[in-house]
Each structure stands twice: as structure tokens, then as C-alpha cells.
Amino acid sequence: MTDEDSHPEREAFDHDPIDHVGISAGMSVAELAAEYGNAGIGAADVAEAIDVTSEAFGREETTVFLGLAGAMVPAGMRAIVADLIRAGHVDALVTTGANLTHDSIEAIGGKHHHGSHDHPDYDERAFDERLRDEGVDRIYNVYLPQEHFTLFEEHLRAEVFDSIGEDVVSIAEFTAELGRANAEVNDRENVGEDPGIAAAAYEHDVPIHAPAIQDSVLGLQAWLHSQVSGFSLDALADMSPLNDLAYEADSTAAMVVGGGVPKNYVLQTMLVTPGAYDYAVQLTMDPPQTGGLSGATLDEARSWGKLKKDARNVSVYADATITLPLVIAGALDAIE
């Protein structure tokens, strides 16, 4: 008897050898993605994410829900999201009040700047104390001058709150007004920067949901305004339109960047519909072993009925500022 004869039948084995990634000058993103697919570990996951995303984007009947958490706008991912909305690849956006705050700051003329997470002459605490004295807010290695928040607060008072008046509105209605104001001021003031995510969503009738909007400067300003007026936000009013969108869709896809509230809000839409997601892609750095939602695998979401049993899904565990541009560029390259 040979060693081969003593082995059990390889039921789960499919002879698909690892190839070695080949790189050449001038290769397209689609060609690079194909090379990732020849490799293993994280590279294989990225390739699978590109393939799933391209299939979801390429099907007109698929309704795409994008969850956007983290500091993605300050980090420079703003144009990717705005362009996806304009191209018709996003049907609903769930994000944070913080991303909308930073998006608006850029729309009306503010800028984020390259910075540093440390300083050669100071320890971390002393470095951040100096930044505070200089009026600079730090997001890891991104700087934002504090005067831009003053500009943003003035923008809200003059362009958004005055338009809404004394009404109680849904958060999606509020973010739509924000998008309208961002677009108008951007055009009127001839701002060099793109009007951004909220403006693109407003112009293309894509709802923006920010269920934890209170956890942001945008939310703080909304609360302050509610203290001196009849204005208020109805946090439950958005749930019917979003759940209806999922209920009526022929096919659905979840694109989840980061975790937290945006991730759960996207996935939980399927708990009150007869269906579940056909496609799901998650870009995160949080590990699943802690039991937290942010790192939970999409396979775990399947156990809740949020994904179909045969759904195509993949989780990529890496910095989303690295993976999001690669996945989206590869997907767009593949469908063109």
C-alpha cells in the first residue's frame, strides 16, 4: 500500500495551485486584480472583493447599500464615494455625521492637510498639546485647522437651518438639505474643490442615512439649533424608506467600509424583509474574535438571515484607505 492509498478522499480539495504575482509597467487595475487572484491570503480576498463588487455593480437590477464609517473623508476617500453616487452605483448611503461634517467643510472651501502622528522633538502628549494651542485638530496623520469648524457652523446656520425652518424632519431630509446647501455654496463661491458626497447624493436622489448623527459636530450643531427653535430630527422616520427600498429590490448588495453603526444599519435592513443580501463586501481592520460587530464576518451575518445562504460575500481585513480605492478601481475596470 502506498502513502497515497492510505489518505482519505480529498472531498474539499480542488487542484488550484497558487501562482506567483507578476507585475509589469503599464498594467491595468483589472490586470493587477487578476494577479492578486493568483496569490493567497489577503491578496486572494482582495481579488474576490473586486470580483463580487464588479458583479453587483454590473447588474442593473441590484440595489446597492453603501455603509461608510471611519475617517474616510478626512483620509481622502471623498471623491471615490461621490463618483460612485454619480455613476449610479450607490442607491442608499449610510454614514456618520463626522464624514458628512468633513465632506461639507471641503465643499464650502475648507481643506484637510497632510500631517504627522508624531514629532521628533515632543512626546505624543506634548505634541498634541502644542497642536491644540495652535488650533489644529489631528486625525492620526491628517490635520484640520479649527477655524474650518467655525466656517461649517456658519454654513449650517445661514444655508441649512434657515431653509428648514421650524420643522421636525427626518435625518435623511436633513442630510438632503445639507447636500443642497453644499452644492449651492460650492457653485456660488466658486470653490475649487468638488461639492462632494452629500451634494452628489442630493443631485441624484440618493438618500443619506446617518443614524448616529448625534455623535458628530453636525449632530451637536443640530442639537444646539433645536434648543432655540422648533427644529428637531426624527430618528425613526428614515427606517421605513430604507427598509422599503430593501423590501422592493429584486437583488441587493451591501458594500460595508468600516464597522460600527453604518455597518449594522445596512445589514439590519434585511431583518424586516422576506429577502436577504445577494452580495456583500466588507473592508475592515477589526478582528472577528472579540465578538464585536465591526469585525464580525459576513458569514456570521448569514446566521442572522442578513445574507442569503448562497450569497457571494467576502471580508477583507486591512486598512480601508488602502483597499477601497483598489477594490473600486478594479470593479469599475472590470465592468467597462
Side-chain angles (χ1 to χ4, degrees):
M1 179 181 291
T2 66
D3 287 342
E4 184 175 322
D5 292 334
S6 65
H7 291 156
E9 185 179 352
R10 289 168 167 166
E11 293 180 359
F13 181 78
D14 180 17
H15 189 65
D16 185 11
I18 294 291
D19 203 350
H20 297 282
V21 175
I23 301 297
S24 61
M27 68 192 310
S28 69
V29 179
E31 290 169 337
L32 177 61
E35 291 296 325
Y36 270 62
N38 290 333
I41 311 181
D45 290 337
V46 171
E48 178 71 5
I50 291 171
D51 194 48
V52 174
T53 302
S54 65
E55 186 173 325
F57 284 177
R59 297 182 63 192
E60 289 187 6
E61 69 272 22
T62 298
T63 300
V64 178
F65 298 77
L66 174 61
L68 188 73
M72 300 304 288
V73 170
M77 304 293 110
R78 179 176 183 258
I80 294 175
V81 178
D83 287 345
L84 282 177
I85 292 170
R86 294 189 184 106
H89 294 309
V90 176
D91 296 288
L93 172 63
V94 180
T95 190
T96 61
N99 272 323
L100 294 175
T101 297
H102 293 282
D103 173 60
S104 300
I105 285 171
E106 296 248 351
I108 61 177
K111 285 297 294 181
H112 299 80
H113 301 270
H114 287 283
S116 175
H117 66 280
D118 59 10
H119 191 285
D121 299 326
Y122 300 94
D123 63 26
E124 184 174 5
R125 176 168 177 167
F127 176 43
D128 285 311
E129 287 174 350
R130 172 160 182 168
L131 288 176
R132 177 171 180 171
D133 291 341
E134 293 176 354
V136 176
D137 295 321
R138 180 171 74 89
I139 306 169
Y140 187 59
N141 60 1
V142 175
Y143 292 165
L144 178 65
Q146 289 179 0
E147 59 264 26
H148 291 333
F149 284 109
T150 301
L151 179 68
F152 173 60
E153 291 158 11
E154 292 170 351
H155 172 64
L156 289 176
R157 287 193 294 270
E159 307 288 343
V160 180
F161 294 139
D162 282 354
S163 174
I164 295 174
E166 300 285 312
D167 295 337
V168 177
V169 298
S170 72
I171 296 173
E173 289 172 328
F174 178 53
T175 59
E177 279 299 302
L178 181 66
R180 175 202 56 77
N182 289 357
E184 289 182 2
V185 171
N186 185 273
D187 181 62
R188 186 176 72 223
E189 300 298 327
N190 229 356
V191 176
E193 187 58 62
D194 186 274
I197 295 170
Y202 171 75
E203 291 166 354
H204 292 269
D205 294 321
V206 172
I208 297 180
H209 301 273
I213 196 169
Q214 301 95 322
D215 186 28
S216 66
V217 171
L218 177 59
L220 281 171
Q221 290 301 310
W223 168 72
L224 286 170
H225 185 61
S226 74
Q227 302 303 293
V228 295
S229 72
F231 163 81
S232 188
L233 294 176
D234 184 343
L236 296 178
D238 287 343
M239 298 189 74
S240 291
L242 186 67
N243 291 330
D244 288 347
L245 184 64
Y247 190 94
E248 296 166 2
D250 294 325
S251 170
T252 52
M255 182 79 186
V256 180
V257 182
V261 172
K263 175 183 176 180
N264 189 66
Y265 205 71
V266 166
L267 294 178
Q268 78 172 12
T269 59
M270 293 302 167
L271 293 179
V272 290
T273 71
Y277 281 109
D278 298 275
Y279 305 95
V281 173
Q282 170 178 238
L283 309 178
T284 185
M285 288 187 68
D286 293 293
Q289 294 90 342
T290 63
L293 175 95
S294 293
T297 65
L298 293 170
D299 289 316
E300 180 179 308
R302 182 179 277 105
S303 77
W304 291 74
K306 298 172 182 176
L307 271 65
K308 289 182 177 177
K309 289 184 177 180
D310 61 350
R312 292 199 64 194
N313 63 277
V314 59
S315 296
V316 180
Y317 292 92
D319 181 348
T321 64
I322 298 170
T323 56
L324 180 64
L326 180 58
V327 169
I328 297 303
L332 295 180
D333 212 353
I335 63 177
E336 289 183 357

